Amino acid sequence: MLRSKSRSRIYGIVFSCSMLAGSPYLQAAGPAAQKTPSRPAAALVATAKGFPVQFTDITRQAGIRFQHNTGAFGQKYLPETMGSGGAFLDYNNDGWQDILLINSMDWPGHKRRSSFPALYRNNKNGTFLDVTREAGLAVEIYGMGAAIGDYDNDGWVDIFISALGPDRLFRNLGNGKFLDLTQKAGLQNPEYGASAAWLDYDKDGDLDLIVTQYVQWSTETDIRCSLDGVNKSYCTPESYKGVSSRLFQNQGKSTFLDVTQKAGLLDPTGKALGVAVFDSNNDGWPDLLIANDTQPNRLYLNNRNGTFTERGVQAGIAFSEDGTVRGAMGVDTADYDGSGFASLLIANFSNEMLNLYHNEGKGLFVDEAPTSTVGQASLLTLAFGCFFFDLDLDGRMDIFVANGHVENDINKVQKRVTYPQPPHLFHNRSNKQFAEITQLVGPSMKIPRVARGAAYADIDNDGDLDVLVTANGGPAVLWQNDGGNANRYLRIKAVGTRSNRDGIGAVVRLKLPSGALWQQVKSGSSYCSQNELPVTFGLGKTAQIPTLEVVWPSGTVDRITNVSSNQFLTVQEGTNSAQPVALTSLK
């Protein structure tokens, strides 16, 4: 979706700024590399030869053969450029993260082959097995995104797939199979769904669902756009009317009620692609960040009475610094600098750079990207999936961004912009300083891809976080993290009792001699994708955690003292205790 000529001019003006984005890791560590006092000391030091953590492409040896199908046959339909996402989930409760990859399909009247979502079961030995058919997921849909959560609190995570046309809800039966309960659930959303997330917005103990919607589009209403006046090209979202995202309230008994208007979320102008659920103001209630493509971003604050109030403009996240809308795609939230508040990451179109909004704690967010490597290095790339994670377990949140353009002829129009693009990997050096290390973490990550979704999980239970990226019309890639666990870690799986079973919305906090680390259990974020539900803390060289605290959505607080590092633990609500996660082995 090429943007207007006025936006293209921005590219020529500010490209020189991106030349400032050199890698500090090719120099000796200076004052900027000093550790934040509230963070564990890092043990890893990069050199000009590379970075101590390497990401190895294990896709083929892991047995993952997924190929995304856009259905394209020359008509250049808008949805062909946007799919799709992926998710990590432990669908069989064996303690090992499995993989779900979302697929699209051929257009009616142009059938070439069948294409389904793909569920890969973790074999616990570095390989995965495609169990899509036996799991009951071999269903053709023009899929976009996925959200994972145990909506019926039966102890088994369920799957929601957003799509062009009717979305799908698959209930986990607990025997390796899923049942399509979409019609019974009342989730037959007919619009153009994108990212989705489970949340308990009313704190009643079960999971509700937020689904972003892109634009009003169908094959019948498709508009012809052209770059050269002759050949058809992919239209921009400005060519189509917007559509409101949807909030579905869990009514129990596998049924949901559309409460979008009642909750104050109805926005017919929206062209949403990303959603993040987070507590913007630390009041204990989940708020919503909605990322819109060519419309203002929205920040919905939870009024704690079943309704939300929109504060995007007041918070400073609706528009760019020059007052224009951007092409926002994926989003994520985390406390990347130890402020105690969750800050925001928003992935934007090329020539717009990433947004790294620092939460000032007073209802205001300030974009740190334009004056940092994060913004300068991302000026020309088109970003989709993105997330915060601690890649080297040093106690600071790093950033991963999946990039890829939407127009395969873009290089003919903008010579410095390409269709496939390498990702961004930014290492947090503390004091709001990031360094791009994409070129230093292994040859595979340098390869340009037409990437879309991105998610992380510890697939081999070695403590560090591995990365999954999907490609539009191409193969997914799985990167194994090698070397991240040279530092210490703690992984926590939350199990709610009064709260929802997955503990989504719970705040997990570690109180250390050097300060505090915290994360929130969450669904959604990134773009059309979901990270694993357990949270992972990097501890540097800290061997003992004086206090582990979990604040649940119900208000219950569990505190456990003197916890050893390098463990994967389950904390069940109301027990004030932590137990090792049961990892079943191959039979």
Side-chain angles (χ1 to χ4, degrees):
M1 292 171 296
L2 297 179
R3 293 310 193 254
S4 64
K5 290 183 179 179
S6 62
R7 293 201 177 186
S8 298
R9 293 194 189 105
I10 298 174
Y11 150 78
I13 295 171
V14 299
F15 172 69
S16 60
C17 296
S18 69
M19 297 295 98
L20 303 175
S23 173
Y25 286 109
L26 301 182
Q27 309 167 10
Q34 299 301 311
K35 308 301 177 282
T36 303
S38 63
R39 288 293 187 266
L44 304 180
V45 179
T47 69
K49 295 182 179 180
F51 190 77
V53 175
Q54 297 290 292
F55 284 91
T56 304
D57 182 351
I58 63 168
T59 314
R60 181 161 293 276
Q61 70 190 61
I64 296 173
R65 302 288 187 268
F66 179 83
Q67 182 83 14
H68 177 248
N69 175 28
T70 67
F73 63 102
Q75 289 299 303
K76 291 208 167 186
Y77 288 151
L78 173 65
E80 295 167 0
T81 67
M82 305 306 293
S84 64
F88 286 106
L89 70 164
D90 182 5
Y91 82 97
N92 53 2
N93 284 349
D94 63 357
W96 297 77
Q97 291 296 315
D98 311 298
I99 293 173
L100 176 68
L101 295 166
I102 305 305
N103 214 341
S104 302
M105 58 184 285
D106 290 333
W107 296 105
H110 297 274
K111 183 78 171 181
R112 292 168 295 186
R113 62 185 176 91
S114 296
S115 51
F116 311 120
L119 178 63
Y120 285 94
R121 187 181 66 209
N122 194 326
N123 291 330
K124 313 160 196 176
N125 60 3
T127 68
F128 291 78
L129 179 66
D130 188 339
V131 295
T132 308
R133 290 186 180 278
E134 67 185 73
L137 296 176
V139 179
E140 280 203 296
I141 51 177
Y142 205 97
M144 292 297 296
I148 308 300
D150 182 3
Y151 76 84
D152 54 0
N153 289 330
D154 66 352
W156 303 89
V157 291
D158 309 297
I159 295 172
F160 175 81
I161 298 179
S162 62
L164 173 66
D167 300 329
R168 297 296 183 104
L169 177 66
F170 295 96
R171 180 173 179 255
N172 192 332
L173 300 179
N175 58 358
K177 298 182 183 300
F178 290 82
L179 179 65
D180 188 339
L181 285 184
T182 310
Q183 285 195 328
K184 176 183 177 183
L187 293 176
Q188 306 100 312
N189 176 25
E191 302 289 353
Y192 185 169
S195 299
W198 296 100
L199 73 160
D200 186 3
Y201 83 97
D202 50 7
K203 298 178 72 168
D204 64 353
D206 53 27
L207 291 176
D208 312 299
L209 182 68
I210 178 75
V211 184
T212 64
Q213 314 256 43
Y214 193 28
V215 294
Q216 295 182 32
W217 183 93
S218 68
T219 54
E220 293 77 20
T221 60
D222 181 63
I223 299 173
R224 180 181 175 82
C225 298
S226 178
L227 289 174
D228 56 13
V230 177
N231 299 300
K232 185 179 182 182
S233 63
Y234 289 110
C235 292
T236 72
E238 291 101 325
S239 303
Y240 296 95
K241 294 181 179 179
V243 60
S244 181
S245 297
R246 293 288 166 182
L247 177 65
F248 296 95
Q249 185 184 49
N250 194 329
Q251 303 292 295
K253 298 182 179 179
S254 294
T255 60
F256 291 81
L257 179 66
D258 186 339
V259 295
T260 308
Q261 184 167 0
K262 178 181 177 182
L265 298 180
L266 188 66
D267 178 16
T269 67
K271 298 178 181 180
L273 289 174
V275 59
V277 181
F278 75 118
D279 188 354
S280 173
N281 49 12
N282 285 358
D283 67 351
W285 289 75
D287 308 307
L288 297 170
L289 168 64
I290 302 290
N292 281 313
D293 188 2
T294 70
Q295 288 292 314
N297 295 323
R298 307 294 190 188
L299 176 63
Y300 292 99
L301 299 184
N302 196 320
N303 295 325
R304 298 180 274 185
N305 61 1
T307 68
F308 293 81
T309 298
E310 206 283 308
R311 287 288 184 267
V313 172
Q314 296 89 330
I317 61 98
F319 301 95
S320 67
E321 289 186 328
D322 60 2
T324 61
V325 293
R326 291 151 296 191
M329 315 290 183
V331 291
D332 198 18
T333 67
D335 181 2
Y336 69 85
D337 69 338
S339 68
F341 289 87
S343 294
L344 311 178
L345 177 67
I346 302 179
N348 292 316
F349 205 82
S350 58
N351 305 321
E352 295 176 343
M353 72 176 55
L354 297 166
N355 296 127
L356 182 61
Y357 283 112
H358 184 263
N359 190 335
E360 300 294 297
K362 301 177 181 179
L364 179 67
F365 292 80
V366 175
D367 192 0
E368 303 281 353
T371 57
S372 76
T373 298
V374 171
Q376 295 159 6
S378 64
L379 180 59
L380 297 184
T381 48
L382 198 165
F384 275 88
C386 62
F387 53 73
F388 290 100
F389 75 137
D390 190 349
L391 71 93
D392 56 352
L393 302 176
D394 66 354
R396 296 189 296 266
M397 285 296 191
D398 310 301
I399 294 172
F400 178 87
V401 184
N403 300 312
H405 213 279
V406 295
E407 178 57 65
N408 57 7
D409 294 329
I410 183 61
N411 192 241
K412 296 179 180 179
V413 181
Q414 298 186 25
K415 295 301 181 183
R416 293 191 177 102
V417 180
T418 59
Y419 181 47
Q421 300 172 354
H424 292 303
L425 186 60
F426 297 106
H427 186 245
N428 190 334
R429 302 177 73 218
S430 79
N431 298 325
K432 298 183 181 180
Q433 299 294 314
F434 288 85
E436 181 165 24
I437 59 172
T438 312
Q439 299 294 315
L440 306 177
V441 294
S444 176
M445 199 164 278
K446 303 176 188 178
I447 298 173
R449 293 177 170 83
V450 187
R452 293 296 182 260
Y456 66 76
D458 182 4
I459 61 169
D460 44 12
N461 280 317
D462 66 350
D464 52 30
L465 296 171
D466 312 293
V467 174
L468 174 73
V469 168
T470 63
N472 182 254
V477 60
L478 179 63
W479 281 299
Q480 179 177 275
N481 184 324
D482 294 321
N485 58 4
N487 278 322
R488 293 180 175 271
Y489 64 89
L490 187 68
R491 288 171 49 75
I492 301 295
K493 176 183 177 181
V495 177
T497 51
R498 290 178 57 200
S499 304
N500 68 86
R501 176 80 178 204
D502 291 322
I504 289 174
V507 174
V508 184
R509 183 175 287 107
L510 307 185
K511 297 182 179 179
L512 308 172
S514 56
L517 299 173
W518 69 276
Q519 292 185 50
Q520 189 165 32
V521 181
K522 60 186 179 183
S523 166
S525 289
S526 191
Y527 172 77
C528 290
S529 300
Q530 181 163 321
N531 306 314
E532 64 175 354
L533 285 170
V535 295
T536 297
F537 291 93
L539 300 173
K541 294 305 176 185
T542 301
Q544 196 80 5
I545 299 97
T547 305
L548 161 63
E549 180 179 276
V550 181
V551 181
W552 300 87
S554 68
T556 300
V557 179
D558 282 295
R559 292 185 181 87
I560 304 110
T561 58
N562 299 320
V563 179
S564 297
S565 63
N566 287 0
Q567 293 193 84
F568 185 11
L569 300 174
T570 294
V571 177
Q572 183 171 318
E573 184 178 10
T575 63
N576 284 305
S577 65
Q579 304 297 325
V581 171
L583 301 177
T584 62
S585 58
L586 285 173
K587 295 181 180 178

